[in-house]
Amino acid sequence: MQEYALIMRHEDGAKIASPEQMQEWMRQTMDWIGGIAAQDKFVSGTGLQFDGARVVHADKVVTNGPFGEIKETIGGIIRVKAESFDEAVEFAKGCPVLQGEGNTMEVRQITSHS
């Protein structure tokens, strides 16, 4: 079994939704993660704050981030165990983040150093 990162890409929900809608999205996301955990395939995960983010550039210049020129950015990452890349993709397809137009899930295999 391999580990995969499921990377949630979306805009800052707090800018487009009510606190009640945000709470509903969080409940849906926790239910989705719970379904993966029930299969004993959830490893870890975290949401990422949009406010206060900074971007450090190659020339060491620091700008406010995430990236002002794009609408969506990484909003969270979960790590799962899966029998195949296809199974990891199926987990990603169930993420409530995909309800938002333009939102995406990126699936990447985690490098093993064993």
Side-chain angles (χ1 to χ4, degrees), residues 75-88:
I77 299 172
I78 75 162
R79 193 169 173 163
V80 299
K81 295 182 284 189
E83 298 291 340
S84 66
F85 212 101
D86 289 339
E87 182 181 30

Side-chain angles (χ1 to χ4, degrees), residues 4-109:
Y4 298 85
L6 308 184
I7 304 164
M8 301 169 211
R9 294 185 181 275
H10 57 87
E11 64 183 297
D12 183 353
K15 293 183 178 175
I16 60 169
S18 68
E20 294 78 20
Q21 183 62 58
M22 291 288 294
Q23 205 167 29
E24 175 61 17
W25 288 339
M26 182 58 68
R27 185 193 62 74
Q28 291 173 356
T29 300
M30 296 311 292
D31 288 350
W32 170 68
I33 290 170
I36 296 170
Q39 299 173 59
D40 197 30
K41 294 196 174 176
F42 176 76
V43 177
S44 66
T46 189
L48 301 171
Q49 294 291 323
F50 287 86
D51 292 338
R54 301 290 183 272
V55 177
V56 179
H57 300 267
D59 59 5
K60 308 299 189 268
V61 170
V62 179
T63 59
N64 289 337
F67 300 96
E69 68 273 8
I70 61 173
K71 200 170 163 188
E72 53 88 24
T73 189
I74 298 172
I77 299 172
I78 75 162
R79 193 169 173 163
V80 299
K81 295 182 284 189
E83 298 291 340
S84 66
F85 212 101
D86 289 339
E87 182 181 30
V89 167
E90 287 303 312
F91 288 148
K93 286 180 179 179
C95 184
V97 158
L98 295 175
Q99 296 174 56
E101 187 177 336
N103 294 353
T104 61
M105 291 290 295
E106 181 178 340
V107 180
R108 308 263 308 259
Q109 187 172 347

